[in-house]
Amino acid sequence: MESKTFTKPARNATVIVGTQFGDEGKGKLVDYLSEKYDIVVRYQGGANAGHTICFDNKSVVLHLIPSGIFHEGCVCVIGNGVVIDPVALLEEIKKVEELGYDVKGRLFISHNAHLIMPYHKRLDSLHEDAQGDNKIGTTGRGIGPSYEDKFARKGIRVVDLLNPEVLQEKLRENLAAKNKLFKSIYEKEEFDVEDMVREHSEFDKIIDPYITNTQLYLNRQLKAGKTVLLEGAQGCLLDVDHGTYPYVTSSNPTSGGACTGSGIAPNYVGKVIGVVKAYMTRVGNGAFPSELLDETGERLGRIGHEYGATTGRKRRCGWIDLVALRYSLTLNGVTEIALTKLDVLDTFEEVKVCTSYLLDGREIHDFPTDHETLSRVTPVYKTLKGWMSSNAHARTFGEMHPEARNYVSFLEDALDVPVTFVSVGPGREETVFR
């Protein structure tokens, strides 16, 4: 009997991951790369993330729709791992259309994605307020409570909107418990089931053309040779399993989450690009070893416009942390680094890099993920000479200032991963590829 030759999957999917605490500048990279890909997928998180894109003298913030929407030949997918706020999604679709871009026929939403309901938002705020000094620092957008219901098998999914009777039954069951909590514990007004069914039935009519089985769609497109770019929200150090728990997000921003959050098979992934900001920021509470509580930290935030794209909250700033980065690069299987916001360091005479930690007087090089230990470490720094010059004109590595090149090369050598993309300014064109 003749043996059959089987086709091996082409590794034509690329994953973009944030390697720090989020806010690394993933939006610019995805926007830049989108024209080279057929499909861009958002695979986790919700409207608590904001990807800022600068083009044509405009600055646009996207929260749910993938950053590739501004390239006409690109199809965008919101995967099953995302939790969707109907109000935020409709506002975003309207914003993109007002900018002159078609959305219908180019945006697909997974029928298995979970919805953020009004009671999730209220619970998020009430839970956070009740924590007092132990607040996690959530955005109050209902993300956590929505994921809680998902894993408690009580979530409302997009597919439930297609059947009003099923939707009503699920909402009635959920609100029986939630309303009791609102009334008895928090002394708040109860939600009305019928009103909620009516509102979400109207939402269904609007988004029905976008809904599809994206898991099957993506795998079939990949099998047909199409290229796919997968973008996550937040960053590795906020991963619910691998981050600085409990000061984390409620999903998996890591590269493994790209497969579970989109439904594509892992053997289609050929590259994992880790987005690294040239310094470090964190929003909300939790340990941050290289945080600068001085004028230098203020200066980084001021020059870098470090305010949350979603909430407007001021970000905490510090020097780049190679201990945390080595952990992230290993965990995500990063094959290349995209270095962002290098221009923020243009006016610094010296630039510091955290190379190790001191813990109880002992030098360590491995990242402790438990919050208690991480809170006790002291960063050990190496000081590099600054370049005191703008690199915004540079389009090749050789055109960059020698000290800026030295900084990039130092990071490459220390992390043992090539830096293939350097952002030297906010605009699309202010980019160096290597």
Side-chain angles (χ1 to χ4, degrees), residues 104-179:
K104 284 182 180 173
R106 295 185 53 228
L107 174 65
F108 297 122
I109 301 169
S110 172
H111 66 310
N112 283 337
H114 281 247
L115 294 174
I116 296 173
M117 307 302 288
Y119 50 81
H120 290 137
K121 294 180 186 179
R122 183 189 287 181
L123 279 171
D124 201 359
S125 298
L126 291 172
H127 285 170
E128 187 75 348
D129 290 343
Q131 297 302 310
D133 294 337
N134 296 317
K135 285 182 170 65
I136 297 295
T138 75
T139 59
R141 302 299 173 93
I143 311 298
S146 179
Y147 276 115
E148 285 178 34
D149 275 0
K150 174 178 178 174
F151 290 105
R153 299 180 294 279
K154 294 179 180 177
I156 307 295
R157 300 194 297 177
V158 170
V159 70
D160 296 326
L161 298 177
L162 305 178
N163 190 328
E165 290 180 6
V166 171
L167 178 63
Q168 190 171 35
E169 184 182 341
K170 288 190 173 185
L171 280 175
R172 199 174 295 283
E173 182 183 340
N174 278 350
L175 286 177
K178 300 287 195 295
N179 277 338

Side-chain angles (χ1 to χ4, degrees), residues 252-422:
N252 296 109
T254 40
S255 57
C259 292
T260 55
S262 66
I264 73 163
N267 52 358
Y268 281 118
V269 177
K271 288 196 296 187
V272 179
I273 303 176
V275 186
V276 176
K277 186 144 62 177
Y279 51 103
M280 198 92 159
T281 60
R282 180 166 195 169
V283 172
N285 298 329
F288 182 1
S290 64
E291 182 176 12
L292 296 168
L293 300 171
D294 57 13
E295 171 53 29
T296 302
E298 290 289 326
R299 187 176 164 198
L300 282 170
R302 189 167 58 249
I303 298 171
H305 306 291
E306 293 297 347
Y307 295 90
T310 299
T311 62
R313 287 186 298 177
K314 187 177 180 180
R315 295 175 185 145
R316 302 152 63 192
C317 297
W319 296 118
I320 198 167
D321 183 341
L322 300 191
V323 183
L325 277 173
R326 281 191 292 266
Y327 170 75
S328 292
L329 300 183
T330 300
L331 192 66
N332 288 287
V334 169
T335 55
E336 56 191 90
I337 289 171
L339 187 67
T340 60
K341 300 192 81 165
L342 185 72
D343 51 299
V344 174
L345 303 180
D346 285 349
T347 60
F348 285 80
E349 292 184 8
E350 292 182 340
V351 177
K352 292 188 178 182
V353 178
C354 171
T355 55
S356 61
Y357 297 153
L358 288 178
L359 177 63
D360 299 331
R362 177 173 57 90
E363 189 172 20
I364 63 171
H365 295 85
D366 293 328
F367 185 74
T369 55
D370 66 289
H371 181 259
E372 290 73 19
T373 303
L374 191 63
S375 298
R376 291 168 42 225
V377 304
T378 303
V380 176
Y381 290 112
K382 179 176 177 61
T383 302
L384 301 178
K385 188 178 178 182
W387 41 96
M388 301 292 290
S389 173
S390 171
N391 293 284
H393 66 283
R395 297 298 174 266
T396 67
F397 193 59
E399 292 174 340
M400 292 174 60
H401 189 281
E403 296 302 342
R405 295 202 307 267
N406 180 56
Y407 181 71
V408 175
S409 297
F410 179 85
L411 297 181
E412 273 189 327
D413 292 342
L415 298 169
D416 198 28
V417 178
V419 176
T420 59
F421 171 106
V422 183

Side-chain angles (χ1 to χ4, degrees), residues 214-259:
T214 56
Q215 294 96 311
L216 285 180
Y217 168 77
L218 289 170
N219 281 285
R220 285 170 178 166
Q221 294 298 309
L222 283 161
K223 190 173 182 179
K226 298 290 187 181
T227 53
V228 174
L229 189 65
L230 297 120
E231 65 165 328
Q234 291 91 33
C236 173
L237 302 181
L238 295 181
D239 187 283
V240 68
D241 287 301
H242 306 290
T244 55
Y245 192 89
Y247 297 94
V248 292
T249 194
S250 302
S251 56
N252 296 109
T254 40
S255 57
C259 292

Side-chain angles (χ1 to χ4, degrees), residues 174-193:
N174 278 350
L175 286 177
K178 300 287 195 295
N179 277 338
K180 190 179 294 185
L181 191 64
F182 291 135
K183 185 177 181 180
S184 303
I185 304 298
Y186 294 112
E187 299 180 344
K188 298 290 183 182
E189 184 183 351
E190 296 178 325
F191 283 99
D192 182 79
V193 175

